Amino acid sequence: MALDRQWREEAGPGKGPLIDGMLTSPPSRRLGKVRLRHGALLADMMLIDSQGLLAAATRLTSDYIQGDETKYLETFPRGTGTIHIEAPHYDESVQDYVVMASIVLGDPADSRPLGVLTVTINLEMLKP
């Protein structure tokens, strides 16, 4: 809860030790590279750990704790490979309609769920 409070306090100005550390971490930079390869199609990517905490992100999120959100609740408890696609909605930060798709990633050795990968897809980019 303390980390979530700190995240929300730093989210106002958009920077601080927790946010800066997260957005510049090696996993976040790797997600950023993947996102950039897909241009404007992928508006955002994030990894959520097994405890429902943000583990990597390509842009600022509103909170650090993701475990109380649909993208986690509808996937992680159901195990590795579970997919959840949320209804399309307007995203202020993208200024367009998006859909969020999430999948539970598992340990290749034993399929134990490790976390959730969520991608935000810009629906405008899917138009022919």
Side-chain angles (χ1 to χ4, degrees):
M1 295 307 286
L3 287 173
D4 195 57
R5 266 192 307 280
Q6 180 181 347
W7 186 274
R8 289 172 189 262
E9 289 169 5
E10 292 178 12
K15 64 181 189 160
L18 183 58
I19 287 175
D20 294 347
M22 176 67 68
L23 295 179
T24 61
S25 72
S28 292
R29 288 196 317 262
R30 176 73 175 124
L31 285 182
K33 288 178 183 177
V34 170
R35 185 181 155 267
L36 285 176
R37 282 198 308 253
H38 296 282
L41 176 64
L42 298 182
D44 184 23
M45 297 179 73
M46 72 174 68
L47 283 172
I48 305 165
D49 72 12
S50 62
Q51 302 302 306
L53 302 176
L54 194 60
T58 59
R59 69 180 165 125
L60 182 62
T61 62
S62 60
D63 55 0
Y64 182 76
I65 297 175
Q66 302 292 311
D68 59 348
E69 298 185 23
T70 304
K71 60 184 159 263
Y72 181 86
L73 294 171
E74 293 295 323
T75 56
F76 194 80
R78 294 185 169 105
T80 299
T82 301
I83 296 172
H84 177 74
I85 300 173
E86 293 185 16
H89 64 279
Y90 189 79
D91 186 321
E92 289 289 333
S93 64
V94 177
Q95 296 288 306
D96 219 330
Y97 285 90
V98 299
V99 66
M100 290 174 56
S102 301
I103 185 168
V104 179
L105 304 176
D107 187 321
D110 62 9
S111 295
R112 177 177 45 92
L114 298 174
V116 176
L117 172 67
T118 298
V119 296
T120 304
I121 301 163
N122 184 341
L123 295 176
E124 181 68 24
M125 297 295 108
L126 297 177
K127 287 184 177 178

